[in-house]
Amino acid sequence: MDRSPLDLAGALVEDIEVGVIILDRDLRILHWNAFISQRSGKPLEPALRQPLTSVFPEADTPRLGQMLAKARDQGLHAYTHWREDPYLIQLPCSPEGRVAPLRLQSTLLFPFDCHGERCFGLLLYDTTDFARSNEQLTAALNALGSKQLEQEQLIHKLEKANAQLVQSEKLAAIGQLAAGVAHEINNPIGYVFSNLKTLTGYVNDLLRIVDAVEGVGSLEELQQLKRSLEYDYIRNDVEALIHESEDGIERVKKIITALKDFSHIEEEAFRAVDLHKGFDSTLNLVNNELKYKAEVVREYGELPQVECIPSQINQVVMNLLINAAHAIEGFGRITLRSGHDGGWVWLEVEDNGKGIDPAILHRIYEPFFTTKPVGKGTGLGLALSYNIVQKHNGRIEVSSHPGQGTRFRVWLPERQPMPGEVST
């Protein structure tokens, strides 16, 4: 007698050595085959319409939630591998009912439609024979896992070494700038000190006038003393000296603030910042390095807050500015620009110096490669700048024409991509 395809499918499901559980959209049990009853030791009837996790409490784990999200929300097949322990559902019995757990279990959860209703199939199958036949694969996977761990440790060491290298270059740059910074500080401190000496004399003269108020015989005598001590001149000059001294102290404050902003050793967190403040801070720091070499022109565009590690971006700007100054023979021009394009911002340092030989343009980001005289450069500035920009998921573009100048443009994403995203 002919049998319907549905009957044949049912007979197959009941006879195969694979556990089959059919679930409704809410993961209530609609049916399971004889394999599940034999291996779990649980009859089907009491379990019908019961939640899967009520009948098999061990399945109530985040893993089941992840599988369900993949199958229900994305319409995909969700697997668990026999290497993942503990297994989703424990099947502790042999076909004869003896305690003999399913040794190596894999699981598949998949969605399907039954008479217009969303249902799920849950397959549980023994992969012991497969695993035994793939012992070499297992050994290779173990060895690969060990190598992967070694690689991760090596990458961690390299990241740590790179961070130390970045900081060393930063400190080396600060060391190279130390004389210029000292000069920048010494100038305002010098005239503040000179002003204080002058103010000391003025105060003494003013005190003489104050003290004379009680001892003079007439107002004429007091006025004569004021004229002899040039009171009107002192009064006007005191205001000028105080204002000039305030400017000097403010200049020193800016330099110290720039130095502090630049040398954040511990800063590793990305945060949204105003890049222009960082540019100005860096220009204050390298002013003595630049002012005798070039006119610095700022052409800032409108920028949003940018998610970055500001001290590291400041270091990139400083490296590009100093390289631009070193490329200029005589006195030239350095332009610092910025702009915004979609989800990206860019900063640009352009000089009208001697340019870069096309034959070595492809090597400029190599560590320790430099065209500067011995003692003038470390060969790390551009290499570390490149690494910093890469860490920020950005890129550096360079355009150079010998005898005309060089332009470096750094592109940075306005927001750092989330893990797993690709910045485009």
Side-chain angles (χ1 to χ4, degrees):
M1 184 175 63
D2 291 338
R3 302 180 67 182
S4 70
L6 190 59
D7 290 338
L8 292 172
L12 175 64
V13 167
E14 290 300 324
D15 199 46
I16 60 174
E17 287 295 307
V18 173
V20 179
I21 303 177
I22 299 176
L23 306 165
D24 68 8
R25 63 181 299 120
D26 297 317
L27 293 194
R28 290 190 296 262
I29 295 170
L30 299 177
H31 182 72
W32 70 45
N33 66 353
F35 182 95
I36 296 294
S37 294
Q38 292 169 358
R39 294 303 184 97
S40 68
K42 298 178 180 181
L44 172 61
E45 288 299 326
L48 289 175
R49 308 304 300 179
Q50 298 298 312
L52 177 69
T53 52
S54 295
V55 180
F56 299 103
E58 68 273 15
D60 191 9
T61 65
R63 186 187 303 175
L64 178 62
Q66 294 166 2
M67 295 176 70
L68 183 61
K70 191 172 183 180
R72 181 165 59 195
D73 301 340
Q74 302 178 40
L76 302 175
H77 288 202
Y79 296 89
T80 64
H81 196 262
W82 54 271
R83 292 180 179 275
E84 299 178 60
D85 191 33
Y87 301 133
L88 187 66
I89 291 177
Q90 300 301 315
L91 300 175
C93 300
S94 69
E96 297 79 21
R98 292 182 285 105
V99 176
L102 198 65
R103 290 189 58 198
L104 301 178
Q105 180 193 127
S106 294
T107 308
L108 168 63
L109 179 69
F110 61 94
F112 69 97
D113 289 327
C114 181
H115 304 297
E117 295 290 332
R118 172 57 62 93
C119 295
F120 297 96
L122 181 62
L123 305 185
L124 310 171
Y125 46 100
D126 189 352
T127 49
T128 302
D129 291 339
F130 173 80
R132 284 174 178 168
S133 66
N134 287 272
E135 289 180 355
Q136 291 182 343
L137 175 61
T138 301
L141 288 173
N142 289 337
L144 183 61
S146 177
K147 290 294 183 183
Q148 184 177 5
L149 180 60
E150 292 178 8
Q151 186 180 39
E152 289 173 353
Q153 292 173 343
L154 180 59
I155 289 173
H156 178 71
K157 290 180 180 178
L158 287 173
E159 288 176 346
K160 187 175 180 180
N162 184 66
Q164 292 173 341
L165 192 61
V166 168
Q167 189 57 30
S168 296
E169 170 65 11
K170 183 185 293 185
L171 295 176
I174 291 176
Q176 291 177 357
L177 294 171
V181 170
H183 179 73
E184 286 292 293
I185 292 176
N186 189 56
N187 276 347
I189 290 295
Y191 63 72
V192 168
F193 182 73
S194 175
N195 289 349
L196 285 175
K197 291 181 68 174
T198 303
L199 284 169
T200 300
Y202 287 168
V203 169
N204 289 334
D205 289 342
L206 292 173
L207 289 176
R208 285 180 60 189
I209 295 173
V210 172
D211 292 341
V213 170
E214 297 180 357
V216 295
S218 65
L219 180 60
E220 177 62 30
E221 188 177 344
L222 181 60
Q223 291 174 341
Q224 178 61 34
L225 177 61
K226 287 174 63 178
R227 285 193 293 271
S228 68
L229 294 176
E230 299 181 311
Y231 172 79
D232 292 337
Y233 174 79
I234 290 175
R235 178 168 181 168
N236 292 330
D237 200 32
V238 163
E239 292 180 0
L241 290 174
I242 291 175
H243 181 69
E244 187 180 70
S245 298
E246 287 176 344
D247 288 343
I249 295 300
E250 186 63 29
R251 175 64 185 155
V252 172
K253 182 182 176 182
K254 285 183 179 179
I255 295 170
I256 297 301
T257 301
L259 204 58
K260 179 182 175 183
D261 290 343
F262 182 79
S263 60
H264 280 306
I265 295 176
E266 74 288 348
E267 186 174 31
E268 281 295 331
F270 285 86
R271 56 190 176 92
V273 298
D274 179 357
L275 286 185
H276 290 155
K277 288 184 178 179
F279 297 167
D280 293 339
S281 178
T282 303
L283 284 170
N284 279 329
L285 185 63
V286 299
N287 180 62
N288 193 70
E289 187 85 11
L290 303 181
K291 66 182 181 181
Y292 301 113
K293 295 289 294 183
E295 173 194 8
V296 178
V297 179
R298 306 178 196 188
E299 297 180 359
Y300 293 167
E302 292 291 330
L303 292 188
Q305 293 273 303
V306 178
E307 198 170 61
C308 65
I309 302 175
S311 66
Q312 293 188 5
I313 298 303
N314 290 349
Q315 184 174 4
V316 172
V317 174
M318 190 198 74
N319 290 341
L320 295 178
L321 288 170
I322 291 178
N323 282 352
H326 289 170
I328 294 173
E329 297 172 342
F331 191 86
R333 177 187 177 99
I334 296 173
T335 305
L336 179 58
R337 300 188 184 92
S338 64
H340 182 217
D341 186 1
W344 292 81
V345 299
W346 55 265
L347 61 96
E348 190 173 87
V349 176
E350 183 177 12
D351 65 71
N352 62 348
K354 57 187 177 183
I356 302 173
D357 186 344
I360 63 170
L361 196 60
H362 66 287
R363 299 190 60 196
I364 59 175
Y365 301 118
E366 293 179 13
F368 306 109
F369 177 78
T370 180
T371 59
K372 298 174 185 176
V374 175
K376 190 71 171 177
T378 63
L380 288 174
L382 282 178
L384 292 176
S385 296
Y386 181 85
N387 287 342
I388 289 171
V389 174
Q390 288 286 303
K391 178 179 179 179
H392 283 72
N393 295 289
R395 65 185 187 274
I396 300 182
E397 298 172 352
V398 58
S399 174
S400 184
H401 302 282
Q404 299 180 35
T406 303
R407 183 184 69 223
F408 282 92
R409 176 175 283 196
V410 176
W411 289 88
L412 298 171
E414 181 182 337
R415 292 288 176 269
Q416 289 297 309
M418 297 295 290
E421 292 182 355
V422 178
S423 184
T424 58

